[in-house]
Amino acid sequence: MKVAVIMGSKSDFPKVEEGIKVLKEFGAEVVVRALSAHRTPVQLTECLAELEDNTDVIIGAAGKAAHLPGVIAAQTLIPVIGLPIKSSTMDGLDSLLSIVQMPKGIPVATVAIDGGLNSALLAIQMMSLKYPQLKEQLKAYRDEMAKKVLEDDESFR
């Protein structure tokens, strides 16, 4: 099980850190790179060629124009999850729209702005189709979330 997390810049790392931790807790190998669709397009293409035969899902995290996930998806058949990062302008709406509005034929699954944890959980769900043990782990994860909510609820009674 292998997931690549590609960020447009190092400053995006705090938004993907929690998701990386969860991926590792579920037993996934995680490759983390900081490559720009605009500033390092050749290196991005080289990275994707290296990932092509041994990676299950790619998470592309980017802010502002946020073309990175789409550029990744255009160059690989590996499923791509776009993670829009909140930037200093437009509160991340620019990033969200850049990622979610992909043209026909080049889909990118997209999670909420700064939704690093959900990008990781969606990657795990995708991989559970190939690795059945992940389904049980996901079930246990969700059961723990439900237990926490019920404990919180009980504290108000």
Side-chain angles (χ1 to χ4, degrees), residues 65-153:
H67 295 132
L68 181 63
V71 170
I72 292 169
Q75 296 185 65
T76 184
L77 296 177
I78 299 168
V80 177
I81 299 169
L83 171 55
I85 302 295
K86 182 178 178 181
S87 60
S88 57
T89 55
M90 299 182 71
D91 286 331
L93 184 59
D94 49 346
S95 307
L96 175 65
L97 293 174
S98 294
I99 295 171
V100 79
Q101 290 293 90
M102 288 298 296
K104 286 182 184 180
I106 309 294
V108 172
T110 309
V111 296
I113 298 166
D114 292 345
L117 176 62
N118 273 355
S119 70
L121 291 170
L122 181 56
I124 292 165
Q125 283 181 281
M126 289 175 172
M127 291 188 302
S128 75
L129 298 171
K130 183 176 178 182
Y131 306 102
Q133 71 273 19
L134 290 176
K135 286 184 180 176
E136 286 304 312
Q137 288 177 269
L138 277 168
K139 184 179 180 330
Y141 183 89
R142 287 189 177 186
D143 288 347
E144 272 302 308
M145 286 192 314
K147 180 180 173 187
K148 172 70 174 123
V149 170
L150 293 173
E151 287 172 357
D152 290 347
D153 177 56

Side-chain angles (χ1 to χ4, degrees), residues 6-57:
I6 304 175
M7 305 167 284
S9 69
K10 185 178 179 180
S11 64
D12 298 330
F13 185 73
K15 304 299 181 180
V16 299
E17 196 169 14
E18 181 182 22
I20 291 168
K21 180 181 175 198
V22 167
L23 286 164
K24 290 179 179 180
E25 288 172 1
F26 274 78
E29 177 186 348
V30 182
V31 172
V32 180
R33 299 291 304 267
L35 295 168
S36 168
H38 303 109
R39 296 179 297 253
T40 59
V42 172
Q43 293 84 354
L44 176 61
T45 298
E46 291 170 353
C47 172
L48 295 173
E50 293 169 10
L51 297 172
E52 189 63 40
D53 294 326
N54 62 5
T55 304
D56 297 296
V57 180

